[in-house]
Amino acid sequence: MDKSNKKRKGIALIYDPHNLYQFLWYYCTYGDEYEWTALCLPNGAKGEYMSVYCEKSGIFDEIIRDKDGAFLTMSLRQRLVVFGQMFWYAIRGMQKKYCKRLVGKYINDEEYDIAVVLTDVGIVSGAFIALSDEKRVVILEDGMGDYFERSNRSLLKNLFNPYDWQGFLLAKMGYANPGHRYPLKTTENCEKFCSNPDRMIYKNYKRMKKLFDTSKTDMELYKATTGKIYSKISECDFENAEAIIFTDRLLDFSTNSVDEYVEKFQDYINSKYHSIILKCHPRDDTPYQFAPEVRVQKIDSSIPGEAILPYLGNVDIIFMYTTSIILYMGAYGYKALYIYFNKLYEKTKNEGSHANYITKQEMEKCLERFGIVDGNIIEL
């Protein structure tokens, strides 16, 4: 084979449905010149499950499965060992060597030309980003967290949260940015895709481009590929549903029970609707129980919310929390309802959870930032 005609190689880090959906767009818009490997990573406690969907897509030449578990689910002892190794390399100015070692667990860094990651939050993603002065690295959109301000001053507001200390120290050492709150110098060599570039506060990227711009997209390929993966959407009866509810994992905000808030949510739905569609967050395994007279259709959590939006013209849309899906609502002219759980912020603010619930005012500001000035917030 003539080496001059051989395609260059790319690697895509995939760990959730939202992630794969974005990469499908990237592949159909910019990625046809590469042979792609999917590195399927664990999604928190849920583990690795996206390799099945990568296989269905038919666009990957190789699929690598990481079954070892995510950093967040490691024991404290395991985390300390990993952190100790990172610190040892960092004080000697050898962070890149550590990152090459980590990348080398999956692929020889000389064998790929481009890496596409969803975020700079994860340790593995951060390792690929750390090599962006040698390789082309593309960062897609992780969600609302991408639009937060990133400042070292954020630590002053969260001094008693161990996850913030973890994020601050890892970002300062140049490895990753858990929590989205802290600047990570290595992003300056990367290309960033986001749905609302003009609303981004943190802009330390080589260049920024608009996500889901279809002016250069092979739409025939895009429709065919997404159709292979998300065929179950057609099985849902949207026409006879009154509402679709997008859940969030409330346990992300609390180290204690959140049953009282789940019950408030269920009671609200029971009082308002007789037929609903339930779209759970990929990590939300809460066993919701609605009244017997409420007809509940569940959409597989492996289907990203963005892929469902074209079908929602005649149903109420309810979000349990602010979510990345609202970044794409404007294209359809949709309005939605947003649930705010009273007292959850006060209850959880000092618990040290790896995510922080927000005040109602912060929710309002978040919605306003994306042009949702008439967002209907339901207080429970």
Side-chain angles (χ1 to χ4, degrees), residues 3 28 58 60 63 137 139 157 167 184 187 223 241 305 344 349:
K3 289 186 178 181
C28 296
F60 295 104
I63 297 174
V137 176
I139 306 175
K157 302 177 184 177
L184 182 64
T187 62
K223 290 176 182 177
L344 183 57
K349 65 179 179 180

Side-chain angles (χ1 to χ4, degrees), residues 351-368:
E351 286 188 4
S353 301
H354 78 266
N356 294 328
Y357 200 65
I358 56 179
T359 65
K360 184 185 174 188
Q361 291 71 29
E362 287 173 323
M363 179 177 279
E364 290 171 342
K365 287 180 181 179
C366 180
L367 296 176
E368 288 173 4

Side-chain angles (χ1 to χ4, degrees), residues 129 132 171-172 174 182-190 202 204:
I129 291 170
S132 58
K172 290 296 284 183
Y182 305 103
L184 182 64
K185 181 174 174 54
T186 51
T187 62
E188 66 186 8
N189 300 312
C190 301
Y202 179 79
N204 188 33

Side-chain angles (χ1 to χ4, degrees), residues 262 266 270 287-291:
V262 172
Q266 291 171 166
N270 290 338
Y288 297 103
Q289 295 181 337
F290 300 98

Side-chain angles (χ1 to χ4, degrees), residues 20 49-58 229-230 300 302:
L20 178 58
Y49 61 98
M50 288 305 298
S51 55
V52 174
Y53 301 94
C54 289
E55 286 178 352
K56 284 184 180 179
S57 73
I229 303 174
Y230 308 123
D300 194 315
S302 66

Side-chain angles (χ1 to χ4, degrees), residues 192-209:
K192 174 67 177 176
F193 282 86
C194 43
S195 54
N196 294 265
D198 57 322
R199 300 184 190 276
M200 291 283 285
I201 298 174
Y202 179 79
K203 298 182 178 181
N204 188 33
Y205 301 102
K206 185 176 182 179
R207 64 179 65 91
M208 295 171 62
K209 295 182 179 179

Side-chain angles (χ1 to χ4, degrees), residues 104-328:
K105 284 177 53 181
Y106 307 104
I107 190 171
N108 184 335
D109 69 279
E110 296 181 359
E111 293 180 354
Y112 73 94
D113 302 283
I114 180 174
V116 178
V117 305
L118 178 68
T119 175
D120 58 0
V121 169
I123 300 296
V124 178
S125 299
F128 278 91
I129 291 170
L131 307 183
S132 58
D133 59 341
E134 298 180 7
K135 304 284 184 176
R136 186 180 172 196
V137 176
V138 170
I139 306 175
L140 300 175
E141 184 169 78
D142 194 15
M144 302 297 288
D146 282 358
Y147 294 86
F148 295 164
E149 180 183 12
R150 295 188 180 187
S151 169
N152 293 324
R153 295 189 304 273
S154 295
L155 186 63
L156 298 176
K157 302 177 184 177
N158 301 279
L159 281 173
F160 301 104
N161 190 323
Y163 291 97
D164 271 88
W165 277 102
Q166 172 185 299
F168 172 76
L169 293 172
L170 288 176
K172 290 296 284 183
M173 288 191 289
Y175 288 117
N177 173 38
H180 294 279
R181 297 179 189 278
Y182 305 103
L184 182 64
K185 181 174 174 54
T186 51
T187 62
E188 66 186 8
N189 300 312
C190 301
E191 300 173 47
K192 174 67 177 176
F193 282 86
C194 43
S195 54
N196 294 265
D198 57 322
R199 300 184 190 276
M200 291 283 285
I201 298 174
Y202 179 79
K203 298 182 178 181
N204 188 33
Y205 301 102
K206 185 176 182 179
R207 64 179 65 91
M208 295 171 62
K209 295 182 179 179
K210 186 169 178 58
L211 182 68
F212 292 127
D213 176 359
T214 59
S215 60
K216 298 179 180 179
T217 305
D218 183 337
M219 292 306 296
E220 292 290 325
L221 178 61
Y222 188 50
K223 290 176 182 177
T225 307
T226 54
K228 289 179 186 177
I229 303 174
Y230 308 123
S231 58
K232 286 187 177 181
I233 294 178
S234 61
E235 298 174 8
C236 191
D237 182 8
F238 292 95
E239 188 172 332
N240 293 307
E242 298 170 324
I244 182 167
I245 297 100
F246 293 89
T247 77
D248 212 286
R249 188 174 185 269
L250 293 184
L251 278 172
D252 279 351
F253 306 113
S254 177
T255 55
N256 298 307
S257 171
V258 291
D259 289 351
E260 64 178 292
Y261 302 100
V262 172
E263 289 177 10
K264 286 182 180 181
F265 163 68
Q266 291 171 166
D267 290 343
Y268 173 77
I269 298 302
N270 290 338
S271 69
K272 296 284 290 185
Y273 300 104
H274 294 95
S275 178
I276 66 169
I277 298 168
L278 191 66
K279 170 64 177 72
C280 290
H281 189 281
R283 287 185 292 103
D284 183 14
D285 54 4
T286 305
Y288 297 103
Q289 295 181 337
F290 300 98
E293 59 270 22
V294 178
R295 180 195 179 206
V296 180
Q297 299 180 75
K298 291 185 178 180
I299 291 187
D300 194 315
S301 63
S302 66
I303 298 174
E306 299 92 318
I308 302 168
L309 288 178
Y311 302 86
L312 304 183
N314 298 311
V315 301
D316 287 354
I317 302 171
I318 301 172
F319 294 109
M320 192 183 278
Y321 190 62
T322 56
T323 167
S324 60
I325 301 170
I326 71 173
L327 301 173
Y328 319 110

